[in-house]
Amino acid sequence: MPFINARVSVPVTKEQEEVLKDKLGKAISIIPGKSEQWLMIEFADCCNLYFQGNQSGPTAFIEVKVFGSIPESCLDELTEAICNIYETELHVKKDRIYVKYEEVGKWGWNGGNF
């Protein structure tokens, strides 16, 4: 039950959303037991983001929320994959991207809880 919330300072077309969705769907499998099958993604484009006190370039803040725990050994690989995706597809340089991870112990779905 991962959720990726992506806020970017640039516009995102529907075509770009599809590519991002597909690539993030593959990347989430870096975390054992997680897959695109349960992945939910939100895209928020044209956000008014400042980084280092300026808006001098495209910027992104990506939140990855996961039910359960994320092995430490996966974090560098997933961060690298996410940064590569946003740099390739939206031209957001890696040094203007933050990736936040959150492990969630309680998660509801379909009228119940896990």
Side-chain angles (χ1 to χ4, degrees):
M1 285 58 60
F3 174 66
I4 297 176
N5 183 9
R7 294 180 187 100
V8 296
S9 64
V10 296
V12 180
T13 67
K14 287 296 177 189
E15 294 79 16
Q16 288 171 315
E17 274 188 15
E18 279 296 314
V19 171
L20 291 167
K21 175 193 68 72
D22 291 342
K23 289 185 174 189
L24 291 169
K26 289 180 179 75
I28 201 66
S29 67
I30 291 169
I31 301 172
K34 305 304 176 191
S35 70
E36 183 178 30
Q37 179 182 357
W38 292 98
L39 178 61
M40 182 182 286
I41 304 172
E42 177 183 28
F43 295 109
D45 67 347
C46 299
C47 293
N48 196 18
L49 298 173
Y50 285 81
F51 186 72
Q52 298 178 333
N54 66 67
Q55 294 179 311
S56 65
T59 305
F61 181 69
I62 314 296
E63 292 179 284
V64 180
K65 298 180 185 200
V66 174
F67 176 66
S69 62
I70 305 169
E72 289 287 324
S73 60
C74 299
L75 294 176
D76 285 340
E77 185 179 356
L78 185 53
T79 299
E80 182 69 21
I82 289 170
C83 288
N84 285 338
I85 291 166
Y86 279 85
E87 187 171 56
T88 300
E89 301 305 325
L90 299 181
H91 309 292
V92 180
K93 293 182 180 178
K94 293 178 189 180
D95 65 355
R96 291 192 64 86
I97 300 173
Y98 273 160
V99 181
K100 174 191 171 198
Y101 294 96
E102 186 175 338
E103 299 172 329
V104 180
K106 296 178 175 75
W107 201 289
W109 170 74
N110 197 23
N113 294 291
F114 293 98

